[in-house]
Amino acid sequence: MSRDLYRLALAVLHPGFEGTSAPDWLRRALGEGLGGVVLFARNAIGAPLVKELRAENPGVVVAIDEEGGTVTRLEVGAGSSFPGNRALGVVDDAGLTERVGRQIGRMLAELDITLDYAPSADVNANPANPVIGVRSFGPDPDLVARHTAAFVRGVQGAGVAACAKHFPGHGDTVTDSHLALPTVHASREELLARDLPPFRAAIEAGVRSVMTGHLLVPALDPDAPATLSRAALTELLRGELGFDGMIVTDAIEMRAVAAMASPGEIAVRALNAGADAICIGIAGEDGLREIRDAVVAAVRDGVLPEERLAEAAGRVRALSDWYAARPADREAARADVDPGVGLTAAREALTVTGTARLDRAPLVVEVNTRLSQAVDPDTPTGITAALTTLLPGTTMVRLERDAPLPDLGSPASDGGGSDLGHPAQDGGGSGPGRPDPDGGRPVVLVVHDAARHAWVRDVVDAAVAARPDAIVVDTGVPGPPAGATHVATHGISRVSAQAAAERLAR
């Protein structure tokens, strides 16, 4: 009985790990019944790693955050082959979104990955939102609902489970839940009308998993964040919305909940609230054992009913079984290669104001806004690389917050550059270099989420005042158009950068 209880506890835990191969402690845990593993870019994800995990437990739920666009684990180095949710929402072609979802599912099917923690079903109702932004299909509930359903159909049609997140909706927040507990100040009526339609649509589309948001929603529960709230998970998500798939928590080391209690207590409270799987971004052997033992102790002490734990483990197993029953769907998806769909979507999503073009290699000034912790720190905007491919000799300088604007020279019509010098012509650094021998070199200013950052808008204003012919590219939720030409890509990805570069250099 004791051994069975430990297996049940392990079945609901889904940890991440450091390194590019499965450590010994993880192998042992898989052999003892660990239900899931979460992969990150740091793991150098490939088919051999997944095979290594499945050798210890063939039914393990292997999960990954592969949203496309800004949040990618498989294509961090070069940027995603897909433009991301906001770009798809701007295009507003549900068929195109389903095609993108299918191709993301195909990528995961090739690696034998069970579950994609996507799509973000959040309605980005607050433009100041620091963590959702372009990860959302947009600010309109109906638009987000139809594209959430389309993405789910695409991924799951490829034989890979999808996961709608972050229930009951992270879009109307001004706090990043990685850092602190956000509060959603909305009435129950507002939640039903604005935040819940995409989750209803996902459920109607058959989504296999829903991820909780670490969000305090007083209209649902004034005392506990959704991850730890029976009112949110059991009464609303299970009862009113009728979801019967696997509920997985967002990573429990995020400060929104980690500041409240120990990891073990958080896991127990989440299970009691109705969650089935506990996501642990970074565990380690001691951490995993601590959480497992806390769950076991809670059952023995009568704090967590064993029936609830068994139910949770059963839902994890049901998701694994769903995946195991669909090899034909994955095989068909592997053969259904649609290589141009991401670039097609990125091109159609571009919003362009102005007619300026680049006739020679520019200086690119990348204004370095810090992306949220959901985004791998190595994710590039890709704009400089894409322009360099089309216009060899393109150089780049990064501009940190509070740093002075580098000398941008003078427009070509003014007859030459300034004598203050330009950034070094080696593609890096941020200090002044030798004067531009050509004079009038084009300037491209790359920003992210100008609508959300006053200091970024100030930089744009200063740059355009110095160089009215400057081109501005915004890779996030854009501010008002500025510059001789303003290009909004509505996302960070390799294909978004390529589409913008083509538009400017053609």
Side-chain angles (χ1 to χ4, degrees):
M1 184 67 174
S2 176
R3 178 182 298 178
D4 290 343
L5 188 53
Y6 275 99
R7 288 190 73 86
L8 283 178
L10 280 172
V12 302
L13 303 184
H14 294 195
F17 62 95
E18 298 284 356
T20 58
S21 62
D24 290 343
W25 65 266
L26 184 62
R27 290 171 177 268
R28 286 193 298 271
L30 286 166
E32 293 167 0
L34 183 68
V37 175
V38 186
L39 301 180
F40 294 89
R42 64 177 182 256
N43 301 128
I45 304 161
L49 174 59
V50 178
K51 186 175 181 180
E52 191 179 4
L53 299 172
R54 293 202 184 279
E56 305 295 338
N57 178 357
V60 62
V61 173
V62 182
I64 187 174
D65 289 279
E66 193 62 38
E67 299 177 15
T70 307
V71 177
T72 176
R73 306 303 187 219
L74 297 178
E75 299 187 289
V76 167
S80 178
S81 301
F82 310 99
N85 282 4
R86 183 180 175 91
L88 293 170
V90 168
V91 178
D92 196 13
D93 178 344
L96 184 62
T97 295
E98 185 169 347
R99 286 171 62 195
V100 167
R102 181 171 177 80
Q103 290 305 301
I104 290 176
R106 182 185 65 78
M107 289 171 57
L108 304 189
E110 288 180 343
L111 297 174
D112 200 14
I113 290 172
T114 317
L115 173 63
D116 188 8
Y117 288 151
S120 167
D122 306 295
V123 178
N124 198 54
N126 193 326
N129 195 309
V131 68
I132 301 301
V134 293
R135 299 169 65 197
S136 166
F137 290 109
D140 177 75
D142 292 337
L143 179 145
V144 176
R146 62 177 171 268
H147 287 278
T148 294
F151 193 99
V152 168
R153 290 193 299 268
V155 172
Q156 295 193 167
V160 173
C163 179
K165 61 186 183 185
H166 307 80
F167 185 83
H170 206 322
D172 187 16
T173 62
V174 293
T175 302
D176 183 345
S177 52
H178 293 85
L179 306 176
L181 178 63
T183 298
V184 178
H185 300 284
S187 67
R188 187 179 179 88
E189 291 71 27
E190 286 176 302
L191 292 171
L192 290 172
R194 182 192 66 194
D195 297 288
L196 295 185
F199 292 97
R200 289 186 186 276
I203 293 167
E204 290 171 3
V207 72
R208 302 307 305 173
S209 181
V210 170
M211 177 179 282
T212 69
H214 300 324
L215 312 161
L216 185 65
V217 189
L220 299 178
D221 188 332
D223 301 316
T227 296
L228 310 180
S229 170
R230 183 174 177 82
L233 302 189
T234 298
E235 296 172 15
L236 178 58
L237 182 54
R238 292 277 187 226
E240 293 185 40
L241 301 188
F243 179 63
D244 195 41
M246 188 186 81
I247 299 176
V248 60
T249 70
D250 210 342
I252 63 170
E253 74 274 12
M254 293 166 62
R255 293 180 200 169
V257 293
M260 296 181 172
S262 69
E265 183 178 343
I266 293 296
V268 170
R269 290 175 62 184
L271 290 164
N272 260 327
D276 305 305
I278 309 300
C279 175
I280 314 155
I282 299 178
E285 182 173 14
D286 292 343
L288 184 66
R289 185 187 302 114
E290 174 192 338
I291 298 170
R292 179 204 64 185
D293 291 351
V295 172
V296 169
V299 174
R300 288 176 171 164
D301 294 343
V303 174
L304 174 66
E306 187 171 350
E307 295 78 10
R308 168 78 273 270
L309 180 59
E311 177 187 55
R315 286 206 176 96
V316 175
R317 186 166 54 251
L319 189 144
S320 175
D321 291 345
W322 179 93
Y323 178 83
R326 283 161 177 75
D329 289 343
R330 291 190 291 279
E331 191 60 33
R334 290 187 194 104
D336 184 19
V337 181
D338 191 359
V341 66
L343 183 57
T344 295
R347 286 169 173 160
E348 293 187 19
L350 289 182
T351 304
V352 182
T353 303
T355 59
R357 295 287 190 274
L358 295 171
D359 59 0
R360 56 185 170 138
L363 166 67
V364 179
V365 180
E366 295 218 9
V367 180
N368 194 8
T369 50
R370 301 297 182 185
L371 302 177
S372 81
Q373 292 190 24
V375 182
D376 191 281
D378 293 329
T379 303
T381 68
I383 301 295
T384 301
L387 285 172
T388 300
T389 298
L390 298 177
L391 297 169
T394 294
T395 57
M396 180 267 288
V397 57
R398 288 191 178 92
L399 187 67
E400 302 285 346
R401 183 171 186 170
D402 298 326
L405 192 70
D407 172 54
L408 302 179
S410 304
S413 59
D414 290 350
S418 80
D419 60 1
L420 297 179
H422 280 264
Q425 306 294 299
D426 59 2
S430 59
R434 59 187 181 276
D436 182 354
D438 302 319
R441 188 174 196 190
V443 170
V444 176
L445 196 68
V446 180
V447 301
H448 185 77
D449 278 357
R452 191 166 63 84
H453 297 288
W455 75 270
V456 173
R457 295 194 298 275
D458 290 343
V459 169
V460 171
D461 290 344
V464 171
R467 287 292 300 266
D469 61 334
I471 292 170
V472 179
V473 179
D474 196 323
T475 61
V477 178
T485 287
H486 184 275
V487 179
T489 64
H490 304 286
I492 291 176
S493 70
R494 177 179 55 79
V495 289
S496 298
Q498 182 179 340
E502 289 174 349
R503 176 66 174 76
L504 294 174
R506 69 184 183 191

